[in-house]
Amino acid sequence: QVQLVESGGGLVQAGGSLRLSCVASGLTFGMAWFRQAPGKEREFVTAIVWSGRRTDYADSVKGRFTISRDNAKNTVYLQMNSLKFEDTAVYYCAAQVRGRWTDPERESQYDYWGQGTQVTVSS
């Protein structure tokens, strides 16, 4: 079992920035961020492989969000800039350990999930 703990969420004004962190209790191959707004389905945000050489972003966050990881600390980060009201959601960290890296945008790609951290953007 790999446990994931997110942190860094909070309240920020539109146009501002936040950095989220996710610490894993063990080694992971792929890691990702998803988010879920109230009353809506959970959606893909971004993903990164162990080496950091491959990343994927949802169209809605390209150019504004950046994912990175520090394998020495078993930590993945999400730098969020130019935040919009529409970014308000609970952000979840996910980790892939088993299988192949085929569909990072799909929830089924991941084996473990964190409990989430709230991001609220005021307009």
Side-chain angles (χ1 to χ4, degrees), residues 33-44:
W33 291 95
F34 287 73
R35 67 186 183 186
Q36 186 171 26
K40 296 185 177 181
E41 298 290 322
R42 186 160 58 185
E43 66 176 355
F44 171 79

Side-chain angles (χ1 to χ4, degrees), residues 26-86:
L27 297 179
T28 63
F29 178 73
M31 299 190 74
W33 291 95
F34 287 73
R35 67 186 183 186
Q36 186 171 26
K40 296 185 177 181
E41 298 290 322
R42 186 160 58 185
E43 66 176 355
F44 171 79
V45 178
T46 182
I48 188 170
V49 299
W50 181 87
S51 66
R53 296 187 182 94
R54 178 180 174 183
T55 58
D56 295 277
Y57 294 92
D59 289 341
S60 60
V61 305
K62 284 182 178 178
R64 300 189 299 119
F65 291 10
T66 303
I67 189 170
S68 62
R69 65 189 298 170
D70 184 343
N71 292 334
K73 298 180 179 180
N74 288 342
T75 301
V76 64
Y77 303 96
L78 179 62
Q79 179 66 47
M80 305 184 294
N81 298 325
S82 301
L83 282 163
K84 305 174 181 179
F85 173 76
E86 304 88 79

